[in-house]
Amino acid sequence: MTPKIQKFLSETACASPCLVVDVDVIERNYDTLKTEMPLAEIFYAVKANPAAPILERLVGLGSSFDAASVPEILDCLKAGAMPSAISYGNTVKKAGDIKAAHNLGVTLYAFDSEGELEKLAENAPGSRVYCRILTENSGAEWPLSRKFGCELDMAVDLMVRARDLGMEPHGISFHVGSQQVNPDQWDIAIGRTAMVFSALRERGIELKTINLGGGYPARYREDIPEFSEFARAIMASMTKHFGNDLPNIMIEPGRSIAAEAGAILSEVVLVSRKRKDADRRWVYLDIGMFGGLAETMGESIKYAIKTPHDGGPTGRVAIAGPTCDGADILYEETPYEMPLALRSGDRVFIESAGAYTTTYSAVNFNGFEPLRELYI
Ligand SMILES: *Cc1c(COP(=O)(O)O)cnc(C)c1O
């Protein structure tokens, strides 16, 4: 948690639970990415946290944006982004939404299938398109699976088709999976992209851009390599596969820009045991799976949780949310420990919670309000 958030929380009576985001950290993270990967154009993945203060700060820094829906595009425009700085990166879009984006001036679109390409040709004629290829997500703690992307030979055929339909074949994209902690995971996908580039060159199409996607991790309970290590591995791989003829580079970071900028204030509702002499206690917080911590699904993202008793003796705990849903358990298998002194009413802090929390929060499940959010 940053000193600014700490000071704010100590001086302000915030109702719990509440996410507090230090927007200066957004700027610092953006600057780090820009410094470490100066050749890349940064498209902030809006879905990580679409709050206006974040988008506005990023517009001021010259960021571009990866939007997945028309409302996200409108959020970017409202924050001051130019339509030319927005990529409509969802490969699954309704025809009407493509038309709406086109009317708003968006000229860059993702696709991974023939059906989508035909929709684009009809509703956003002449636009720049990039094709997403399938790639391994191993090493990612929040994999994006086989839902997106197509095989390489199909990508080649689809790009030829794009040209024949009057579109501008722009580039190739992939996503190595979110919270990807292995810097070497980009290499295979970059190599595969280079193969598509040369296959298309043989067919008279010169692609301009490689989109390396997102996936760069944030620091949760466990430490991760610095972003400089990811940048070094990626740029080495780019040179290995493309030589001196580097294409334009896009990156779409979400988590690595927003997560560490925020902390959630939460209150302990209950500490209990299932048996009088049970070793493990159950800690129930006033936020859970449905209150914004959806990424604890399958115990994937492991948040660091600070308590007022840190430093004292600890014991094993299971951690759960406040609703009456049996699925509302954050950690049961993961070996979490919390202080033995922890009591109902204690305030705890869930760290690195600035990404993928507010928008995942249910509107009124079990009568609980959506996650409050403050930007300072
Ligand atoms: C979600 C998403 C991102 C952001 O991923 P992070 O792991 O948060 O960096 C980038 N690009 C696309 C296409 C996405 O769907």
Side-chain angles (χ1 to χ4, degrees), residues 80-237:
M82 301 292 288
S84 56
I86 299 171
S87 165
Y88 198 165
N90 193 339
T91 54
V92 184
K93 304 174 282 300
K94 289 185 183 178
D97 290 339
I98 296 169
K99 187 166 260 171
H102 184 63
N103 287 338
L104 289 167
V106 175
T107 60
L108 181 59
Y109 298 84
F111 74 98
D112 64 3
S113 67
E114 185 166 21
E116 188 72 12
L117 185 58
E118 283 165 359
K119 274 190 271 174
L120 287 168
E122 190 171 332
N123 297 285
S127 295
R128 295 172 296 157
V129 290
Y130 60 90
C131 185
R132 180 156 167 180
I133 57 171
L134 272 168
T135 189
E136 273 291 313
N137 275 194
S138 56
E141 289 171 14
W142 189 258
L144 299 173
S145 78
R146 296 182 61 82
K147 179 172 172 185
F148 307 105
C150 65
E151 297 290 354
L152 299 192
D153 52 351
M154 183 177 252
V156 173
D157 290 343
L158 286 175
M159 277 311 209
V160 173
R161 183 87 208 286
R163 178 193 58 192
D164 295 345
L165 285 168
M167 309 296 280
E168 200 179 308
H170 188 67
I172 295 295
S173 77
F174 56 81
H175 198 301
V176 295
S178 201
Q179 188 66 8
Q180 173 58 261
V181 294
N182 181 356
D184 297 326
Q185 275 300 317
W186 275 260
D187 182 60
I188 294 170
I190 291 171
R192 286 160 61 82
T193 302
M195 286 163 63
V196 178
F197 269 63
S198 35
L200 281 166
R201 187 167 295 136
E202 280 167 23
R203 294 171 74 169
I205 294 177
E206 206 55 58
L207 293 180
K208 295 191 183 66
T209 299
I210 180 170
N211 178 345
L212 303 168
Y216 321 96
R219 208 162 263 115
Y220 294 103
R221 211 169 67 136
E222 265 127 60
D223 202 17
I224 48 158
E226 293 294 336
F227 181 72
S228 55
E229 286 189 42
F230 290 86
R232 203 176 314 124
I234 287 170
M235 291 316 291
S237 172

Side-chain angles (χ1 to χ4, degrees), residues 271 273 278-281 283 307 309-317 337-344 346:
V271 182
R273 291 177 205 268
D279 283 338
R280 188 173 68 170
R281 292 164 297 154
V283 174
T307 81
H309 311 287
D310 288 355
T314 63
R316 181 85 164 79
V317 292
E337 300 237 333
M338 287 183 119
L340 297 174
L342 197 71
R343 295 288 177 270
S344 303
D346 279 344

Side-chain angles (χ1 to χ4, degrees), residues 268-307:
V268 176
V269 182
L270 177 70
V271 182
S272 68
R273 291 177 205 268
K274 301 289 173 198
R275 214 181 51 222
K276 233 170 149 179
D277 59 346
D279 283 338
R280 188 173 68 170
R281 292 164 297 154
W282 278 74
V283 174
Y284 300 88
L285 303 177
D286 64 358
I287 185 171
M289 184 82 80
F290 304 104
L293 303 181
E295 287 201 313
T296 58
M297 197 186 298
E299 312 201 10
S300 300
I301 296 297
K302 298 175 182 70
Y303 292 101
I305 305 176
K306 288 272 178 319
T307 81

